[in-house]
C-alpha cells in the first residue's frame, strides 16, 4: 500500500490556471492531504511549450492505495492535461511513496522504466536509504537536487502512520 502523490508543473504566477488544475484534480481525486511549497523549476527547458517560467509543487492524498493503481492515475492525469487546452498548459505526474521509494509514472519508455499497461511505465525515481532520499543516474535533476526531500519525508511519515492504522484495523 502506498501514498498517492502528484507532481504539478504550472506556469509561474498563473493563479487562474493553478486554480483550474487544482479544481480538476480535486473533483477526480478529492482534497489533497498535503500540498508542498511552490519551487521555481529551472532544471530543464523541456517544458518550455507550457511556459518558459514554471513552478513545481506536489499534492499528496489521504489514504493508502494499491501500487497497481499507478498506471490508472497516469492515464487519468493525461486526460486532465488535455482538458487544459489544445496544447497542454500544465504537466501532471502522478506517483507513489512508501517506506522505501518514490515512484513516478510516465508515458515514455526508457531502459530504467518498467512497462505497466496501456502505454504507461514506472520508475523508482528516489529510494530511501540510510535515513535519507537517494537518487540514481537517471533521476531527474530537480529530484536529484534534494529540494523536495523535506516534503517527501513528511509524506513518508504520513504513509507510516496510515500503514500502522491499516495494520491495526486488519
Amino acid at each position: 500500500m502506498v501514498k498517492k502523490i502528484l507532481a504539478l508543473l504550472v506556469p509561474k504566477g498563473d493563479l487562474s490556471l493553478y486554480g483550474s488544475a487544482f479544481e480538476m484534480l480535486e473533483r477526480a481525486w478529492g482534497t489533497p492531504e498535503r500540498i508542498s511549497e511552490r519551487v521555481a523549476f529551472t532544471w530543464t527547458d523541456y517544458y518550455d511549450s507550457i511556459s518558459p517560467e514554471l513552478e513545481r509543487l506536489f499534492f499528496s492524498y489521504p489514504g493508502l492505495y494499491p501500487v497497481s493503481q499507478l498506471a490508472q492515475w497516469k492515464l487519468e492525469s493525461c486526460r486532465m492535461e488535455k482538458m487544459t487546452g489544445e496544447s497542454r498548459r500544465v504537466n501532471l505526474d502522478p506517483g507513489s511513496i512508501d517506506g522505501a521509494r518514490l515512484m513516478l509514472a510516465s508515458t515514455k519508455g526508457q531502459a530504467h522504466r518498467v512497462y505497466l499497461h496501456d502505454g504507461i511505465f514506472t520508475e523508482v525515481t528516489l529510494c530511501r536509504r540510510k535515513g535519507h532520499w537517494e537518487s540514481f543516474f537517471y533521476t531527474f535533476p530537480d529530484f536529484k537536487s534534494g529540494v523536495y526531500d523535506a516534503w517527501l519525508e513528511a509524506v513518508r511519515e504520513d504513509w507510516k502512520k496510515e500503514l500502522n492504522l491499516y495494520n491495526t484495523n486488519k
Side-chain angles (χ1 to χ4, degrees), residues 3 5 20 24 27 31 35 37 39 46 49 52 79 88 94 98-99 101 103:
K3 291 293 289 179
I5 68 156
S20 296
M24 191 170 28
R27 280 192 304 274
T31 303
I35 302 173
E37 293 182 15
V39 175
Y46 181 81
S49 62
R79 283 191 290 275
R88 71 178 173 167
D98 64 18
R101 76 201 109 244
M103 292 182 19

Side-chain angles (χ1 to χ4, degrees), residues 8-23:
L8 169 65
L9 275 177
V10 64
K12 182 179 180 180
D14 193 333
L15 298 179
S16 174
L17 185 56
Y18 168 76
S20 296
F22 183 90
E23 288 174 15

Side-chain angles (χ1 to χ4, degrees), residues 66-128:
V67 72
S68 60
Q69 293 181 0
L70 184 57
Q72 186 58 39
W73 302 339
K74 184 61 179 175
L75 292 167
E76 290 171 6
S77 72
C78 288
R79 283 191 290 275
M80 286 187 256
E81 283 180 355
K82 290 177 182 170
M83 294 169 60
T84 66
E86 193 170 307
S87 172
R88 71 178 173 167
R89 301 274 314 161
V90 299
N91 176 257
L92 304 172
D93 287 321
S96 67
I97 291 178
D98 64 18
R101 76 201 109 244
L102 162 69
M103 292 182 19
L104 293 176
S106 178
T107 57
K108 299 169 204 76
Q110 298 290 332
H112 61 278
R113 293 185 180 150
V114 176
Y115 184 76
L116 298 175
H117 62 80
D118 296 321
I120 304 302
F121 300 82
T122 191
E123 70 176 39
V124 176
T125 302
L126 297 171
C127 71
R128 186 75 166 48

Side-chain angles (χ1 to χ4, degrees), residues 121-140:
F121 300 82
T122 191
E123 70 176 39
V124 176
T125 302
L126 297 171
C127 71
R128 186 75 166 48
R129 189 167 171 265
K130 296 185 180 181
H132 65 279
W133 292 98
E134 289 190 3
S135 63
F136 302 96
F137 71 91
Y138 55 80
T139 300
F140 299 111

Side-chain angles (χ1 to χ4, degrees), residues 24-37:
M24 191 170 28
L25 287 161
E26 192 170 43
R27 280 192 304 274
W29 295 348
T31 303
E33 176 176 58
R34 190 178 289 276
I35 302 173
S36 74
E37 293 182 15

